[in-house]
Amino acid sequence: MNHRSWRTRLILISLAVLTLIGAVATGASAFVLLQLGRIERHELADVLTSAPQQPVTAADVLIDQSRTAAANPDSATAGDGASIGDDASGDDAVLGEQDEFSSSSSAGNLTAGEPVLPGGPDGENYLLVGTDSPLGLAADDPLRAGHSDQNRLADVMMVIRLRDDGTAAMMSIPRDLAAEIAGTSDIAGTGVIAKINSAYNRDRTTAARAARLIDTVEENLDITLQHFVEADFQAFLRLVDAVGGVEMTFDRPLRDQPKENATDPTESRSGFVTGAGTHLLDGRQALAYVRSRHLEEQLPDGTWRQHGAWNDLARTDRQRGFMRTAAAQVAPALLANPINLLAVLDIAADHLSTSDTLSIVNDGRRLADKFAGLDVDVDVEDYELRVVDVHDPVRWSLGLDPLRAEHNQRVLDVFRGIGWDDIVESRVRVQVTGTARHQVAARLSELGFDAQAAGPMPEGISHAPEGTVVYLAPQGRLAAGLLVSHLLPVPDFAGHAELDATTVILHIGDEPLRIDPGYRRVDVPPADQLAP
């Protein structure tokens, strides 16, 4: 996650534009305000989703024993919960309403049994789109190949989460990811399955395109989006020119494959041709390079051969090198010269558009203040979804790798406000044994736990206890604490050396057990106090 992709760098530059605008707007002149007024804003507030509450994690419910003494867990009070008694059928058990709990934000004397509520949103998600519209390119420009002025495909899509603590997380959305396109369901409820970037080319206006893409991303990835920003080809091209170009070094002469029937070998498809050595690429050359699909290299004998794989994933790999180099040169150039800042304003006015949920001046200032000390290598997390080639139902597309489902779910969780290492219900495996184990496992599954009925006796335990007991590994306090935060009365705890940190055993004893969807603070004894 430490290697920045070219997409990440491009989005960082886009964010830099917003923050620089905010910084410049602090001393706004008539010219600055005039330029800012030219930035197109789209009515998307009704399409974008409000930031959800921050999910409760195990760290929120577990009492830190170094700060406070544990209270008597039996003193906890509960509202109506699911009561599962001695009857193994459990037919009369009904899951009750969640109690009206007080906020969990208090850091004072924490007491076992104290109710815990989700916190407020800790950040917002921005959908950033780089489009491949050729508007502004010369009629004979090779970069127009395969594009019309009506084309406006989302060539680059990223979600960036800006957190309140001044850190950020970024995730690329593969443009060839197969997805059900929002708003295409027929009378039977079946929607059109296509590459996700095609959602941006089904409507006439940018606002309508953006609305469909926003809905498609939210529905297929199950994340919410609060803001939208779009930039086109020309923004990239002009930004490179504004800083005087980007130096790149090549081991061998490179070119994009020549056009069909071309007599001049330098007449390539994208227009990119370069010799070996270090070269200063202007905006048009840089754009031709990052968009090259059929890159060739020249051998010492003068012949040309294919350079790398000719597909989008290989192209992305090549682009990373360019964007790493470009980012190191662009940011200092932008900040070193006020004229460059004014050029950025002009570029933004011409080629940047946003949702009406963003105030260019006020939000730009806020971003500038919040991320003034941002260290990209420390404060920005870069995530990638794991994908595989699929040919059904969309040929030559990508799908989320089923063998990396846990990884992909963790990536998406980051953009739901859940940290990579946070312990939440979906990451806790519960083996339920004893009385009414099937009913208890079903109730816990409804709360999001990976719960399964395992048998009448805990594995590795010779004598089943009479009461309800949670067995955990020495490093499993967080997982056990999250489980027990939903249980009343609070069970006993015991150690189990063969479990891992996120697996617990819940043995149901003879007394009734209530399962509540709400959370309460719990005190889990440290490992050295747990008897096996």
Side-chain angles (χ1 to χ4, degrees):
M1 291 186 295
N2 291 327
H3 299 292
R4 306 281 172 228
S5 70
W6 75 277
R7 291 181 172 86
T8 299
R9 297 299 188 180
L10 181 58
I11 298 309
L12 283 173
I13 292 171
S14 299
L15 287 176
V17 169
L18 287 176
T19 55
L20 287 170
I21 288 172
V24 173
T26 301
S29 66
F31 172 78
V32 169
L33 293 177
L34 177 64
Q35 293 294 78
L36 294 180
R38 292 171 51 209
I39 295 177
E40 188 176 10
R41 299 175 76 242
H42 309 294
E43 295 183 2
L44 295 169
D46 293 339
V47 179
L48 292 158
T49 307
S50 298
Q53 291 181 308
Q54 188 176 356
V56 174
T57 70
D60 297 322
V61 301
L62 191 64
I63 292 176
D64 185 348
Q65 293 193 342
S66 67
R67 290 192 304 168
T68 182
N72 179 8
D74 293 330
S75 66
T77 58
D80 295 332
S83 179
I84 301 178
D86 296 345
D87 184 0
S89 67
D91 292 338
D92 296 330
V94 178
L95 198 62
E97 298 292 332
Q98 182 172 347
D99 292 348
E100 293 290 333
F101 292 158
S102 60
S103 173
S104 65
S105 60
S106 173
N109 299 318
L110 303 182
T111 304
E114 177 186 1
V116 178
L117 271 184
D122 74 335
E124 293 182 318
N125 292 334
Y126 293 66
L127 178 62
L128 293 103
V129 174
T131 63
D132 63 358
S133 168
L135 290 172
L137 296 176
D140 60 349
D141 196 312
L143 288 170
R144 275 187 169 272
H147 297 83
S148 69
D149 286 349
Q150 286 69 44
N151 262 21
R152 210 171 179 84
L153 292 178
D155 194 57
V156 176
M157 292 176 291
M158 287 195 73
V159 178
I160 177 169
R161 182 171 185 82
L162 301 183
R163 303 191 186 98
D164 293 341
D165 63 3
T167 63
M170 295 182 176
M171 171 184 66
S172 296
I173 301 176
R175 67 176 196 166
D176 291 339
L177 185 69
E180 181 173 333
I181 306 302
T184 62
S185 296
D186 57 21
I187 193 170
T190 303
V192 172
I193 306 297
K195 294 179 180 181
I196 196 168
N197 69 333
S198 69
Y200 207 60
N201 204 33
R202 287 178 169 267
D203 300 280
R204 292 185 177 275
T205 67
T206 301
R209 294 187 191 101
R212 191 184 297 273
L213 181 61
I214 289 166
D215 286 341
T216 300
V217 171
E218 288 193 336
E219 292 170 9
N220 283 270
L221 299 184
D222 192 24
I223 60 175
T224 64
L225 301 170
Q226 286 71 57
H227 304 289
F228 172 85
V229 178
E230 183 221 78
D232 61 20
F233 273 179
Q234 287 287 306
F236 178 90
L237 187 154
R238 290 183 60 190
L239 187 61
V240 173
D241 283 340
V243 298
V246 173
E247 283 191 352
M248 288 288 294
T249 301
F250 304 99
D251 294 334
R252 293 179 176 177
L254 296 177
R255 69 179 184 188
D256 200 39
Q257 188 181 50
K259 296 178 182 179
E260 188 175 357
N261 300 323
T263 56
D264 184 350
T266 66
E267 193 178 347
S268 68
R269 294 172 186 260
S270 73
F272 179 72
V273 178
T274 185
T278 300
H279 301 274
L280 184 66
L281 304 185
D282 62 18
R284 205 212 66 78
Q285 291 171 317
L287 188 57
Y289 176 66
V290 300
R291 291 192 52 75
S292 173
R293 291 179 179 273
H294 302 89
L295 201 60
E296 295 181 332
E297 61 183 11
Q298 189 175 37
L299 300 179
D301 63 4
T303 60
W304 294 85
R305 71 177 181 186
Q306 178 177 324
H307 179 77
W310 285 356
N311 57 38
D312 279 335
L313 293 179
R315 183 177 66 146
T316 297
D317 289 339
R318 291 194 300 268
Q319 290 162 340
R320 285 178 179 144
F322 173 82
M323 293 309 295
R324 279 196 297 270
T325 301
Q329 299 176 34
V330 168
L334 287 177
L335 296 173
N337 190 334
I339 295 178
N340 288 339
L341 291 178
L342 294 179
V344 169
L345 279 177
D346 190 50
I347 294 168
D350 289 340
H351 304 290
L352 192 71
S353 64
T354 72
S355 58
D356 56 351
T357 57
L358 278 172
S359 165
I360 299 300
V361 175
N362 293 335
D363 285 302
R365 286 173 176 166
R366 179 175 58 84
L367 290 171
D369 290 341
K370 182 179 293 186
F371 298 99
L374 183 72
D375 183 335
V376 172
D377 292 325
V378 175
D379 299 325
V380 179
E381 304 153 14
D382 194 0
Y383 296 94
E384 290 185 357
L385 294 169
R386 298 291 188 256
V387 295
V388 293
D389 292 327
V390 296
H391 303 287
D392 182 44
V394 183
R395 290 180 59 82
W396 311 115
S397 62
L398 299 174
L400 296 180
D401 187 349
L403 300 179
R404 302 297 301 276
E406 182 178 352
H407 167 89
N408 287 335
Q409 201 57 234
R410 280 183 179 262
V411 169
L412 295 172
D413 276 348
V414 169
F415 299 88
R416 299 166 183 148
I418 302 172
W420 185 266
D421 295 318
D422 285 346
I423 301 298
V424 293
E425 285 84 351
S426 62
R427 301 176 183 178
V428 176
R429 184 167 181 257
V430 185
Q431 300 174 10
V432 186
T433 64
T435 306
R437 57 189 177 275
H438 295 283
Q439 287 71 34
V440 171
R443 296 295 190 273
L444 293 176
S445 295
E446 291 174 1
L447 296 185
F449 288 98
D450 178 10
Q452 296 180 340
M457 289 275 291
E459 185 177 350
I461 305 299
S462 57
H463 300 288
E466 294 182 0
T468 297
V469 177
V470 170
Y471 294 88
L472 64 146
Q475 67 274 33
R477 290 185 68 232
L478 285 169
L482 186 63
L483 170 64
V484 173
S485 72
H486 294 290
L487 305 181
L488 286 167
V490 174
D492 294 327
F493 297 93
H496 197 300
E498 296 182 9
L499 298 176
D500 59 43
T502 56
T503 301
V504 296
I505 295 174
L506 172 61
H507 177 74
I508 311 299
D510 296 332
E511 61 181 337
L513 177 69
R514 289 192 292 181
I515 301 174
D516 196 288
Y519 298 85
R520 291 168 175 78
R521 294 199 187 279
V522 295
D523 174 31
V524 180
D528 58 5
Q529 296 180 18
L530 292 177

